[in-house]
Amino acid sequence: MFRSGALLILVASVLFSCSKSAERDADPEDFASRVSTEAYLGTAKSTLHLHGYETFPSVEGEGSFNITNVSGDSVMVALICRLSTGDGFSFGIPGKQSGKAWSASFDTGNLVIQENGGMSGLMQTDKQEISWDGILLTNKMVLDVKIKYLKQEGNITEGSIINTHLDLARSGHEGVTTNNGCRVIVWETRSVFNIYSGGVDILRVPVCHPMKD
């Protein structure tokens, strides 16, 4: 493409210089920097409303929130709920950071984490309507996730709703024990559903191992 080797060297030099300048200008207080050092882990409780009105007993479990695959302003959020019954969900949500805020935009809606930590939004896949409402703070996260089924899946009928409440604490803070008594955290690769592409991503996520006596 280029005829001159000197021109190639010049272009590489300019690109390298711009890259280093961008690194120096990077905001250490952007969204990724605020939440990337430790994961949030804790308890989860899900309630199924079959058909939208027939309420089943709540099921408890554990949940986690972390970010991964950070590249420039692109940041993947991983939100996982593991219930004692073996059910739950695992969402990989690709989005963009803007300063201390983060958002994921879809043709069917958006999910947002504001600069003050407020979490809100709604989006749809082919089979589900997913919304969240909560708050992300420096040392904890409280989040309600609502999944409404737009089509029948197995024994869960169209119109059914699963409400999940997550109460998570940031693992790296001095003296903090997450709500499910976890201090041993192992980062493992897991299959996570990408709600943007509809495929499956292999992501590094935190797994809590209970404390031993």
Side-chain angles (χ1 to χ4, degrees), residues 1-4 7-8:
M1 180 177 178
F2 294 103
R3 297 181 179 179
S4 169
L7 181 57
L8 275 173

Side-chain angles (χ1 to χ4, degrees), residues 83-141:
L83 300 176
S84 60
T85 56
D87 300 309
F89 59 78
S90 61
F91 295 147
I93 314 172
K96 301 285 187 181
Q97 65 176 340
S98 177
K100 297 180 181 180
W102 174 93
S103 63
S105 298
F106 310 89
D107 293 338
T108 57
N110 59 75
L111 298 171
V112 175
I113 303 176
Q114 301 173 7
E115 286 194 9
N116 64 4
M119 303 176 68
S120 61
L122 177 149
M123 62 81 62
Q124 289 184 1
T125 67
D126 290 338
K127 298 179 179 180
Q128 298 173 340
E129 178 185 272
I130 302 168
S131 62
W132 71 14
D133 181 59
I135 185 76
L136 175 67
L137 302 175
T138 302
N139 61 351
K140 69 179 299 182
M141 185 182 81

Side-chain angles (χ1 to χ4, degrees), residues 3-172:
R3 297 181 179 179
S4 169
L7 181 57
L8 275 173
I9 295 173
L10 176 61
V11 171
S13 176
V14 170
L15 289 175
F16 178 78
S17 176
C18 290
S19 173
K20 298 300 289 185
S21 177
E23 289 180 8
R24 289 193 298 269
D25 294 340
D27 184 0
E29 294 298 322
D30 62 14
F31 175 79
S33 298
R34 283 200 303 144
V35 301
S36 64
T37 52
E38 299 97 15
Y40 293 75
L41 299 103
T43 60
K45 179 185 289 187
S46 293
T47 305
L48 168 64
H49 305 278
L50 195 65
H51 318 302
Y53 56 83
E54 185 179 344
T55 302
F56 282 64
S58 297
V59 179
E60 297 186 350
E62 59 186 38
S64 68
F65 172 91
N66 68 283
I67 66 170
T68 184
N69 294 8
V70 179
S71 178
D73 63 353
S74 297
V75 181
M76 173 84 78
V77 163
L79 179 66
I80 296 178
C81 168
R82 307 180 188 92
L83 300 176
S84 60
T85 56
D87 300 309
F89 59 78
S90 61
F91 295 147
I93 314 172
K96 301 285 187 181
Q97 65 176 340
S98 177
K100 297 180 181 180
W102 174 93
S103 63
S105 298
F106 310 89
D107 293 338
T108 57
N110 59 75
L111 298 171
V112 175
I113 303 176
Q114 301 173 7
E115 286 194 9
N116 64 4
M119 303 176 68
S120 61
L122 177 149
M123 62 81 62
Q124 289 184 1
T125 67
D126 290 338
K127 298 179 179 180
Q128 298 173 340
E129 178 185 272
I130 302 168
S131 62
W132 71 14
D133 181 59
I135 185 76
L136 175 67
L137 302 175
T138 302
N139 61 351
K140 69 179 299 182
M141 185 182 81
V142 178
L143 182 65
D144 291 306
V145 178
K146 177 181 177 181
I147 301 175
K148 181 177 181 180
Y149 285 77
L150 306 178
K151 299 178 181 178
Q152 180 158 340
E153 290 188 42
N155 295 325
I156 302 181
T157 60
E158 179 181 348
S160 295
I161 295 171
I162 296 179
N163 289 322
T164 300
H165 178 77
L166 298 119
D167 192 352
L168 313 179
R170 195 167 186 179
S171 59

